[in-house]
Amino acid sequence: MTTVITLTGDEAGLLRALDNAIAKEKKHEDQLSKTAATGKKTGDSLEHDFDQVAASNDKAFAGILRDLRRAGPEGRKTAAELQKHFAATGTAGYSSVSSIIDRLGDLDPAAAAAAEAITQELREADEKTRFDKSEAELKKLGPAADDAAKAGEQSFANFSKNAIASIGAVALSYVGIDKAVQSVTAYLKDQEDILDSALAKQLQLAKSQQEAAKNLAGLSVVQRDELLQKSVPQIAAQTGFSDLSQITTAIGAAVSRGATSEQAAEAVKQAARIDINTPDSLDETTAGAVALQLQTGLTDIRQAIALIETTGTQAAIVDPGALIESLPKAVGSAVATVRNQDREEASREAAALFAQVTQGGNDDKGNSSATFVTDLTSRLSKFFTGFEDELIDARSRIQNFDKKIAKGSDTEADRRDRQRLVEFVEVGQRVQQRSAGTSAFETLSGRIQTIQANPELERQLVGEGFGEKQFQTVLTDIFNAQSDLAQNFNKSFEVIQANTDFFEREAAQIASGTPQLVLANFLNKSEAGKASFEATNVEGATLAAIRDQVATTLKETRDGGIGDFVSSFTDETGIRSGAQFRGSTAAEESVDAINTLLGRLKFIERDGITTAEQPRADRINQQIQSVVDIIETQGANLADGSLGAASNRADELATTFARAGAESNAKFFNDLARKFDRVADAIEKQNALATRTADATESTATATDTTAKNTKPKPTDPNAAQRALIAADNSRSLAP
């Protein structure tokens, strides 16, 4: 008759101890092998018994192994490994179940109650085992086998093939069957995925922050934190731009172009509205817009963005990056030459000129065109602002030519130059009298139109020509009102915009111009909300990082064997999902994580650390310190009260270890609890100081506002000055 055993208690704790049980059972076997001939006889008897158990066990596992093979390649691999090991050891790789339970109690005092419960169940499972005889024979060996007898007495009395089958079932509950890990519920898996996603998002964001920090070095620590920690998720939430890394990079680009922290945040926010469906362009658009705004004097970053977007439709430049690199150079220098012109109008005219120069010069990069526009507008500025000097210089040169003519030493070229100067002076005087001080002299388009209407001025301005060869035709066409280039310049000016109303219309079109854009905007905002949550979920990301690194460390420091095979499921599944640790916060779980690592370290140190084992011990010690460090450093960003809860858990473990006589572990956790207490106290004081500072700042602002109101000048009385003069006159007339 087969007895069905149901294991109760902390099964996960049992599996965690399987790793350690191997070592104890190996030691047990070594003790048996050291006995004399009688010991060998007993050992042979034991081997025979275990072989019989193995035969029965094969049948018990047949169904489970069959299910594993059906689970696909991984299941078949697992089944093969298990069957191979069972065949080699005859009893699932262990000499006794009770020794496993004993070892569990040694390593984890908290699981002692569960171990005792399991032991009792095994005792009741099958009192009539065939190991009674083997146990009696072993006792007859005398003192030489005393240790072996003690180790085997309880084990053999409680052992049965049904217990092996039950333990096999528990182990297999951690095997991935039917494409899921059975020990992790769907809920825990979802939570694990959420935390892992937050961790991945923050690691990606950290790389962008590292690069952006190079451009933010000139800002204060407060300003940097404000931009990277607050502005980035705010921009994502406000605009629906979900790529926080791109937002971070764009902020760095804006500051590198000269923006203040406030200007940078505003520039990125507005650029994100336009580039929401083309996120890779965000940093370029932002940087170009900031450069344009600072160089042109446009009052709103939206004007600069509109200027970039519309100029791109008129220029020969295909690459947006090339446009953003060259446009600010051309427009900035051109606008600087017409300081009395409206900034928006001047920027549009300069952009239109630049666009047509790229077209006429076949310049798809824009840099050469920017240089040409800079030279041309600079020469126009010098010509018109110093127009009187130009006339004086022309008259002086005419006189010099007249002297040469009188002497008869003039040449044909001299006579041509004299005629050109005479025509310039005659026309120039009329133009000066009529247009000086008007838009014809003060604006970019006015200057171009004045030259177009007076060829005599063009000859004086251009002289022998200037600019690269590819732009000589452009130079001629600009001053020819009938040329295609000149007419297209006027058309481009109408197309190119630099006003906020245009920007808002474009942003609205991108957000909801078509049903497809509406849908895209909805999804973008949803993704942005998720991205903001993940990027700011420091608690969740820290929790995921601790679980992942602890599980990885345990995986890297295994000792091999079936125990490690089974424990791998708890290491990589139970720990990663959080099922193995107490608490629900990073700080709390860190304590149990450290305890688990210490358990593995104790297992490695059981017989002293060999040279080969030292790297594994060092790896665990390093990971323990890393866990402590991240909680200490990240404490202010973790869940409120979690450090206190972690301290309490560390105190609990310290007490447990002290009672078990594990003084070193007790001291470790006591010290850890005090460390967490100190960090919590420091954070509390820091928060209190920040609150007091904020209150003081608010009080100062209120007082300043009150003072300003009290000292604000009274409304001006238009007749007050007159009455004052009359009173003064009366005073003087009444004086004795």
Side-chain angles (χ1 to χ4, degrees):
M1 177 179 177
T2 300
T3 303
V4 178
I5 296 178
T6 301
L7 295 182
T8 61
D10 191 354
E11 293 179 345
L14 171 61
L15 292 173
R16 189 165 61 247
L18 293 179
D19 218 1
N20 306 318
I22 298 173
K24 182 172 181 179
E25 294 309 314
K26 185 176 184 302
K27 182 177 180 181
H28 183 191
E29 291 171 5
D30 290 341
Q31 290 172 330
L32 287 176
S33 65
K34 292 177 182 178
T35 60
T38 307
K40 184 177 184 303
K41 180 180 178 181
T42 302
D44 292 340
S45 177
L46 289 175
E47 183 178 356
H48 174 72
D49 292 336
F50 276 92
D51 287 341
Q52 297 228 346
V53 171
S56 299
N57 195 45
D58 284 341
K59 183 177 181 180
F61 275 107
I64 297 173
L65 294 175
R66 183 172 58 253
D67 290 338
L68 275 172
R69 295 187 184 100
R70 291 173 180 171
E74 290 301 321
R76 288 193 294 273
K77 181 178 179 182
T78 300
E81 289 296 323
L82 283 175
Q83 192 172 35
K84 177 181 177 182
H85 194 84
F86 293 157
T89 62
T91 55
Y94 303 103
S95 298
S96 78
V97 178
S98 293
S99 291
I100 296 173
I101 297 167
D102 291 343
R103 188 59 175 163
L104 172 61
D106 291 340
L107 289 180
D108 190 353
E116 181 59 30
I118 295 172
T119 303
Q120 184 60 32
E121 292 240 25
L122 293 176
R123 284 198 186 99
E124 297 172 356
D126 191 354
E127 293 291 347
K128 298 180 180 180
T129 67
R130 296 182 61 228
F131 296 109
D132 290 341
K133 179 180 178 181
S134 300
E135 178 189 344
E137 291 177 354
L138 185 61
K139 287 182 178 180
K140 295 177 182 178
L141 295 177
D146 182 65
D147 290 340
K150 290 180 179 178
E153 181 177 1
Q154 190 176 25
S155 300
F156 298 160
N158 299 331
F159 193 83
S160 77
K161 58 180 177 293
N162 296 312
I164 288 292
S166 295
I167 288 179
V170 173
L172 290 172
S173 71
Y174 289 90
V175 177
I177 298 176
D178 198 23
K179 301 179 181 180
V181 181
Q182 293 183 13
S183 65
V184 182
T185 65
Y187 173 80
L188 287 178
K189 190 65 172 68
D190 287 344
Q191 297 306 305
E192 182 182 351
D193 290 344
I194 290 172
L195 297 182
D196 286 344
S197 181
L199 176 60
K201 184 69 68 176
Q202 293 194 32
L203 291 177
Q204 179 186 13
L205 185 58
K207 294 180 181 178
S208 299
Q209 289 175 342
Q210 183 177 359
E211 291 301 313
K214 299 174 183 177
N215 295 324
L216 305 180
L219 301 180
S220 68
V221 174
V222 174
Q223 289 173 323
R224 288 199 299 269
D225 287 347
E226 183 74 21
L227 283 174
L228 298 179
Q229 298 299 324
K230 294 184 180 180
S231 296
V232 170
Q234 285 176 354
I235 291 170
Q238 292 168 352
T239 64
F241 195 101
S242 60
D243 194 333
L244 273 67
S245 293
Q246 284 290 350
I247 293 176
T248 302
T249 300
I251 285 178
V255 173
S256 72
R257 287 299 188 102
T260 64
S261 58
E262 293 81 4
Q263 289 172 335
E266 179 65 16
V268 175
K269 182 177 75 172
Q270 299 302 342
R273 297 174 63 192
I274 295 296
D275 288 338
I276 190 168
N277 295 316
T278 54
D280 291 343
S281 302
L282 182 63
D283 59 329
E284 293 178 344
T285 301
T286 302
V290 168
L292 268 176
Q293 184 182 23
L294 295 178
Q295 293 184 34
T296 61
L298 293 171
T299 58
D300 195 308
I301 194 66
R302 292 175 293 176
Q303 294 176 280
I305 297 174
L307 189 72
I308 292 173
E309 296 297 318
T310 51
T311 302
T313 67
Q314 301 298 301
I317 304 171
V318 178
D319 179 15
L323 174 68
I324 289 171
E325 182 66 27
S326 56
L327 180 62
K329 299 176 184 177
V331 174
S333 60
V335 170
T337 65
V338 285
R339 298 188 181 280
N340 294 328
Q341 187 176 3
D342 175 75
R343 300 291 87 184
E344 180 182 329
E345 181 184 65
S347 298
R348 291 172 60 203
E349 289 180 352
L353 176 61
F354 170 75
Q356 289 309 310
V357 170
T358 64
Q359 295 286 1
N362 194 28
D363 180 15
D364 62 354
K365 301 299 182 183
N367 285 326
S368 297
S369 296
T371 300
F372 177 81
V373 169
T374 298
D375 291 344
L376 176 61
T377 55
S378 177
R379 183 166 294 205
L380 282 170
S381 175
K382 182 180 179 182
F383 184 76
F384 280 98
T385 57
F387 199 78
E388 180 61 30
D389 293 335
E390 290 283 344
L391 291 174
I392 293 173
D393 180 68
R395 293 189 188 102
S396 177
R397 293 178 63 190
I398 290 172
Q399 290 176 356
N400 290 334
F401 282 128
D402 287 343
K403 291 178 182 179
K404 292 180 69 175
I405 291 173
K407 293 179 181 180
S409 60
D410 60 304
T411 64
E412 183 178 349
D414 290 338
R415 289 190 291 274
R416 284 198 308 269
D417 288 343
R418 181 185 183 280
Q419 183 60 35
R420 177 176 59 79
L421 290 170
V422 169
E423 292 173 353
F424 166 66
V425 170
E426 291 176 352
V427 174
Q429 287 176 334
R430 292 195 303 269
V431 171
Q432 183 184 38
Q433 292 173 356
R434 182 177 65 248
S435 304
T438 68
S439 60
F441 272 53
E442 301 295 333
T443 67
L444 182 58
S445 61
R447 291 170 178 175
I448 293 174
Q449 290 168 3
T450 299
I451 299 294
Q452 289 174 344
N454 301 280
E456 298 81 2
L457 303 188
E458 177 190 354
R459 289 192 290 270
Q460 181 67 12
L461 171 72
V462 175
E464 299 300 323
F466 64 89
E468 297 179 25
K469 185 177 181 180
Q470 73 185 95
F471 295 112
Q472 293 309 304
T473 301
V474 173
L475 184 62
T476 301
D477 288 346
I478 286 174
F479 298 125
N480 178 3
Q482 304 307 313
S483 71
D484 290 340
L485 189 147
Q487 294 181 29
N488 288 335
F489 165 71
N490 295 327
K491 293 177 182 178
S492 289
F493 172 74
E494 296 299 327
V495 172
I496 294 173
Q497 299 295 321
N499 63 78
T500 57
D501 288 342
F502 175 85
F503 174 91
E504 290 298 335
R505 288 196 299 272
E506 287 300 301
Q509 175 67 22
I510 291 172
S512 58
T514 66
Q516 291 77 17
L517 286 172
V518 171
L519 178 60
N521 188 47
F522 166 74
L523 294 175
N524 285 333
K525 287 187 175 180
S526 298
E527 284 299 314
K530 176 185 177 183
S532 296
F533 167 74
E534 290 177 340
T536 56
N537 185 13
V538 177
E539 169 70 36
T542 304
L543 190 59
I546 290 174
R547 291 175 179 177
D548 177 70
Q549 290 305 306
V550 170
T552 299
T553 300
L554 291 173
K555 177 180 178 181
E556 293 171 350
T557 57
R558 292 185 196 135
D559 197 26
I562 188 63
D564 282 334
F565 171 75
V566 176
S567 69
S568 69
F569 300 116
T570 59
D571 293 350
E572 298 176 42
T573 301
I575 289 176
R576 293 183 193 280
S577 69
Q580 293 295 99
F581 300 148
R582 278 182 50 177
S584 58
T585 65
E588 291 176 278
E589 286 201 11
S590 72
V591 179
D592 275 14
I594 292 170
N595 189 30
T596 300
L597 290 169
L598 286 174
R600 174 59 60 84
L601 184 62
K602 182 178 179 182
F603 172 69
I604 295 175
E605 295 174 340
R606 66 196 183 280
D607 294 321
I609 299 179
T610 65
T611 302
E613 291 173 331
Q614 189 61 52
R616 294 165 60 206
D618 292 343
R619 175 73 177 93
I620 294 172
N621 280 317
Q622 180 273 332
Q623 189 58 63
I624 290 173
Q625 187 59 49
S626 294
V627 173
V628 174
D629 288 346
I630 192 172
I631 298 301
E632 185 176 10
T633 305
Q634 197 77 285
N637 302 314
L638 300 180
D640 292 341
S642 61
L643 283 172
S647 174
N648 292 338
R649 175 58 178 155
D651 278 332
E652 288 179 13
L653 288 175
T655 301
T656 300
F657 281 116
R659 289 173 179 171
E663 294 300 329
S664 61
N665 281 8
K667 183 179 184 305
F668 177 90
F669 283 105
N670 182 67
D671 291 345
L672 183 64
R674 302 295 74 76
K675 179 185 287 287
F676 286 166
D677 287 340
R678 288 192 296 272
V679 173
D681 289 342
I683 293 172
E684 185 177 355
K685 291 177 181 178
Q686 182 179 356
N687 291 339
L689 176 61
T691 301
R692 289 197 299 271
T693 302
D695 292 342
T697 301
E698 183 177 357
S699 299
T700 301
T702 302
T704 302
D705 184 58
T706 302
T707 301
K709 290 179 180 178
N710 292 337
T711 58
K712 182 178 180 180
K714 300 295 188 294
T716 303
D717 183 349
N719 298 318
Q722 184 177 359
R723 287 198 297 271
L725 288 173
I726 293 173
D729 288 340
N730 290 340
S731 175
R732 282 193 294 272
S733 64
L734 294 175

